[in-house]
Amino acid sequence: MPIPPEVTGEEIDPDVRQELMSLPKGLAEDVSRNLVMVAQLIDEDPEKAYGYSRVALRLASRVAAVREAAGFAAYATQKYSEALAEFRAARRMSGGVELWPVMADCERGLGRPERALAMAGEPEVQKLDKAGQVEMRLVAAGARRDMGQLDAAIVTLQSPELASGAVHPWTARLRYAYADALLAAGREREAREWFAKALEADKDGATDASDRLAEMDGVEFVDAFDEAEDETDEVQGAEESGVVALDDEGDEDDRDGDKG
């Protein structure tokens, strides 16, 4: 797959570059450039990112960072079985536990929420950092909802991290998930309160909390650009059908200016 010449591979994370040092220099550069493309495209064009990840995987399947990148690319394209296999391989190679929550979410994607819940109770969770533990809580709550256990999902999300007034990178998503669960349970007043709290913490636009609040308040957004286009189309249609626009007094609109 083509890679823009300005992508050198130097943009890669230093830890990943360190892993790639086990490869011959030319090969390491090729793998790095493909991994950069995965990182750049995974949000806006996950299918293309997946394609680049497969190239990197073909070149260096024994590097944990490559397997991890391939896993995330597969996950972004909802290829959950493939993603889970890659995450498991990366974990075996690295010995880390940071992929545990996303592995559990793959089980949800495969229609196995009970396995995700079982993973939430494993010792690996205690080895996660705070962000990882919050992510695991989100996955467990999602699994509860998958199983129709809405009240249990709400309880799962109730935690010191949710109650804290401090804002962390995961705060908005945690509050949003709680608000969404409350709304699903018909607890609208509380849900609105938590959507507002999620919006307050969402500095990067990670959630659509503002849209959810507007929806609850009955606000309908109109795209001004689309509205202007519609008005232009109406005028053009009138002209083509021979209808002449009238001014406020009912006279024909003099489009050529004042003719005296």
Side-chain angles (χ1 to χ4, degrees):
M1 297 180 68
I3 297 176
E6 62 269 20
V7 174
T8 65
E10 292 298 317
E11 306 89 338
I12 207 75
D13 182 272
D15 291 338
V16 176
R17 188 183 298 117
Q18 183 69 29
E19 280 193 61
L20 295 176
M21 287 182 65
S22 61
L23 303 174
K25 184 176 180 182
L27 180 58
E29 181 179 316
D30 288 343
V31 174
S32 294
R33 295 180 72 212
N34 278 281
L35 291 181
V36 170
M37 295 304 295
V38 173
Q40 290 182 352
L41 293 169
I42 197 163
D43 291 326
E44 61 185 63
D45 195 340
E47 286 293 345
K48 274 191 178 179
Y50 176 77
Y52 284 106
S53 77
R54 300 307 296 176
V55 175
L57 192 59
R58 188 172 66 247
L59 294 173
S61 62
R62 295 185 180 182
V63 177
V66 172
R67 302 302 288 264
E68 182 175 330
F72 277 111
Y75 178 80
T77 53
Q78 300 183 6
K79 298 176 176 68
Y80 297 117
S81 181
E82 186 176 323
L84 185 56
E86 296 300 342
F87 288 142
R88 283 172 173 166
R91 183 167 176 268
R92 282 196 303 271
M93 293 175 181
S94 68
V97 297
E98 54 279 346
L99 293 173
W100 197 254
V102 72
M103 289 169 61
D105 206 39
C106 284
E107 295 287 6
R108 284 186 63 211
L110 290 168
R112 302 189 296 237
E114 68 286 347
R115 293 196 185 182
L117 279 178
M119 291 179 69
E122 293 292 331
E124 282 81 356
V125 177
Q126 303 307 315
K127 300 175 185 177
L128 294 168
D129 61 15
K130 181 59 68 177
Q133 290 180 6
V134 170
E135 196 65 39
M136 193 71 241
R137 189 176 292 277
L138 288 167
V139 173
R144 290 290 187 190
R145 291 189 66 170
D146 294 342
M147 299 168 70
Q149 301 173 2
L150 190 51
D151 289 341
I154 291 172
V155 171
T156 298
L157 292 168
Q158 292 170 344
S159 61
E161 293 81 16
L162 180 68
S164 172
V167 174
H168 302 278
W170 38 261
T171 300
R173 291 177 57 240
L174 180 60
R175 293 177 180 179
Y176 182 94
Y178 189 58
D180 193 49
L182 289 169
L183 186 60
R187 295 161 61 176
E188 293 189 13
R189 184 185 60 79
E190 293 171 88
R192 194 193 185 291
E193 176 188 345
W194 281 97
F195 276 130
K197 288 182 178 181
L199 180 59
E200 184 180 279
D202 195 358
K203 307 304 181 185
D204 301 321
T207 74
D208 64 347
S210 61
D211 293 341
R212 299 297 296 275
L213 278 169
E215 183 181 323
M216 292 184 75
D217 291 340
V219 176
E220 183 176 346
F221 293 103
V222 177
D223 191 312
F225 181 76
D226 290 342
E227 196 173 56
E229 278 193 332
D230 291 342
E231 289 178 0
T232 302
D233 291 343
E234 287 177 10
V235 172
Q236 289 176 344
E239 290 174 343
E240 290 170 1
S241 63
V243 177
V244 180
L246 301 177
D247 62 19
D248 291 341
E249 296 180 355
D251 298 327
E252 289 187 359
D253 182 17
D254 184 359
R255 285 191 171 81
D256 297 323
D258 186 1
K259 296 180 180 177

